[in-house]
Amino acid sequence: GQNIDQPTEMTATEGAIVQINCTYQTSGFNGLFWYQQHAGEAPTFLSYNVLDGLEEKGRFSSFLSRSKGYSYLLLKELQMKDSASYLCAVSDGNAGNMLTFGGGTRLMVKP
Amino acid sequence: DAGVIQSPRHEVTEMGQEVTLRCKPISGHDYLFWYRQTMMRGLELLIYFNNNVPIDDSGMPEDRFSAKMPNASFSTLKIQPSEPRDSAVYFCASSLAGVDDTQYFGPGTRLTVL
């Protein structure tokens, strides 16, 4: 089985930087995804990490440390539209690579 | 491509009734997933198909739930009989190359069972 932990809620200010952490425990790690979900909408893909290190994509970056079972999503130059839930999902190679989603972190961006 | 299409977008029914949710995946995607999302349990995988064949249904909560994929462009999730605790948003998603490939989600069906 898997255990994925994320903070439930975070608040940040427009223009600032915020880091959303995700820790996981899995016996057969095979990759980690971050999805963004606005209220009332479907999740949309943000990033994928399978090797250690930082993946940068515009204002968003995602970091992975497999030895620590840890990832974070970094959002720079926050905009009001970044207010959403951010879901961490882990692929388990011992479960047919199926994804298990964390509970999500609800980010509120204030002016 | 129009993306993943789901219908209906909203469904309100009474306990005991049969509910059928429908999904059209992105053309060319070989994998289709059904998820359920609630405040209490988050996003849960119910079942997924590869090339129209059900591969893992371990997430299906009970025998009241069933899913089919008669062809590459259509899938259904059926609940019979429905219960109030089935109230949730049901998402269908598809991916091109595998369960660990980027999944594209449909808009979801918000189900309310009274």
Side-chain angles (χ1 to χ4, degrees), chain A residues 14-78:
Chain A
E14 192 176 14
I17 299 173
V18 71
Q19 177 174 313
I20 303 174
N21 296 326
C22 171
T23 58
Y24 63 89
Q25 294 174 326
T26 181
S27 55
F29 177 82
N30 194 39
L32 185 145
F33 290 81
W34 284 96
Y35 280 81
Q36 180 190 57
Q37 186 177 24
H38 285 99
E41 299 183 9
T44 56
F45 169 80
L46 285 179
S47 68
Y48 172 65
N49 295 70
V50 65
L51 299 176
D52 290 351
L54 188 68
E55 294 278 344
E56 297 187 74
K57 190 185 296 184
R59 294 190 299 115
F60 292 7
S61 303
S62 57
F63 172 83
L64 175 67
S65 169
R66 289 172 295 173
S67 62
K68 296 181 179 178
Y70 168 67
S71 173
Y72 67 73
L73 181 69
L74 193 71
L75 290 74
K76 303 175 186 175
E77 302 170 16
L78 279 174

Side-chain angles (χ1 to χ4, degrees), chain B residues 25-29 32 52 69-74:
Chain B
I26 293 173
S27 177
H29 282 196
L32 183 141
N52 315 338
M69 192 166 185
N71 58 63
S73 59
F74 183 66

